[in-house]
Amino acid sequence: MTEVGNRHPHGTPCWVSLLARGVEATQEFYGHLFGWEFHPGPSSLGTYVRATLDGKSVAGIGELPRDRHLPHAWTTYFAADDADKTAELVRGCGGTVGVGPLDADDAGRLAIALDPLGAVFGIWQAVRHRGIETSGEPGSPVWNELVTRESSMVAAFYSLVFGFETQHIVSTDFDYLTLQLDGRPVGGIHGVGQGLPRDRGAHWMAYFEVADTDAAARQVVQLGGSVLRAPRDSAYGRVATVTDPEGAVFTLIRTEPLPA
């Protein structure tokens, strides 16, 4: 197989993917909400489509196997120079590899893993499909955040596996740190202690850019989804936590422009 150029650097969150029971209905929901168009993806793992904005890949939707009790949730994938070696590191650092590593046709090689506190994430070694091709536009993924009990221990795991540096947000009542590559923040870890949702446990949250958070949250409801946390202002923009009609949780954000 010919390897793709311009890979995302090792450790970069490079893709978000969703397993759904009703792929067509899920496409309709996200197509209306984010303006996505859909194209066939790798077929070796079952029904799968790539979502695009202006022809650029932003996310994937696959069919949830009916014989498996898997969560309907967005999964964040991290770029890996070598999926097999990264999977071995996951095991060696206290995580679990649940699926793979295995080839997704000629698109790349993947594995699905769990960190030591149970959060699911993906590993992606790009071949013909490099991952997300645009970010910052409405409808594109712009941030990935791990919601877990406590940040420091699990941050050490991700740093060992992917080579992250960490930067803590100094606060007496807010447990948060950013994961950085070459001095650039690429993701966050939010320790919420006993505030961790019992029905989901530790999990990665995908953030999607929108032009208007309040309008997008209203549209979610109109399309059959629900709002878990109403639109609110944050240090990084106006956010809302929502679900699609099958219950997959994600965050809408209208990011604040960086100061000049």
Side-chain angles (χ1 to χ4, degrees), residues 29 31 38 41 63 67 80 105 124 127-128 131 133 137 160 163 184 187 199 203 205 208 217 221 237-238:
F29 173 84
F38 298 93
E63 186 173 30
D67 59 343
D105 295 347
W124 182 251
V127 180
R128 291 193 179 277
E133 296 176 332
E137 298 296 321
L160 288 168
R184 180 176 65 92
D199 58 337
H203 60 278
M205 175 78 76
F208 295 92
V221 175
R238 192 158 175 79

Side-chain angles (χ1 to χ4, degrees), residues 34 50 61-62 66 100 136 144 155 168 180 188 191 197 208 236 246 254:
F34 291 140
R50 285 185 303 109
I61 297 174
R66 298 186 182 279
N144 292 273
H168 287 263
Q180 303 195 348
F208 295 92
Y236 305 102
E246 288 192 13
R254 173 67 171 95

Side-chain angles (χ1 to χ4, degrees), residues 25-110:
T26 301
Q27 287 181 64
E28 287 187 18
F29 173 84
Y30 288 100
H32 285 299
L33 181 63
F34 291 140
W36 290 351
E37 296 181 343
F38 298 93
H39 309 273
S43 60
S44 61
L45 306 180
T47 302
Y48 195 83
V49 294
R50 285 185 303 109
T52 64
L53 282 173
D54 298 323
K56 296 180 179 179
S57 297
V58 291
I61 297 174
E63 186 173 30
L64 188 67
R66 298 186 182 279
D67 59 343
R68 297 186 184 180
H69 297 287
L70 298 173
H72 175 67
W74 282 100
T75 298
T76 298
Y77 281 73
F78 296 89
D81 293 336
D82 186 316
D84 293 78
K85 289 182 179 179
T86 302
E88 282 302 311
L89 265 178
V90 167
R91 296 186 185 100
C93 294
T96 305
V97 177
V99 177
L102 49 82
D103 291 329
D105 295 347
D106 62 354
R109 190 162 174 79
L110 67 84

Side-chain angles (χ1 to χ4, degrees), residues 3 5 8 24 50 59 67 122 131-132 144 146 163 169 177 180 198 204 208-209 218 223 228:
E3 294 200 356
H8 291 281
E24 289 188 7
R50 285 185 303 109
D67 59 343
I132 296 169
N144 292 273
L146 174 61
I169 303 298
L177 59 79
Q180 303 195 348
R198 291 186 179 181
W204 280 92
F208 295 92
E209 184 75 26
R218 289 193 295 269
L223 293 169
L228 296 183

Side-chain angles (χ1 to χ4, degrees), residues 144-167:
N144 292 273
E145 182 177 283
L146 174 61
V147 182
T148 189
R149 289 199 183 280
E150 188 272 334
S151 66
S152 294
M153 186 192 81
V154 75
F157 166 83
Y158 286 99
S159 296
L160 288 168
V161 172
F162 293 111
F164 296 127
E165 297 177 346
T166 60
Q167 183 174 42

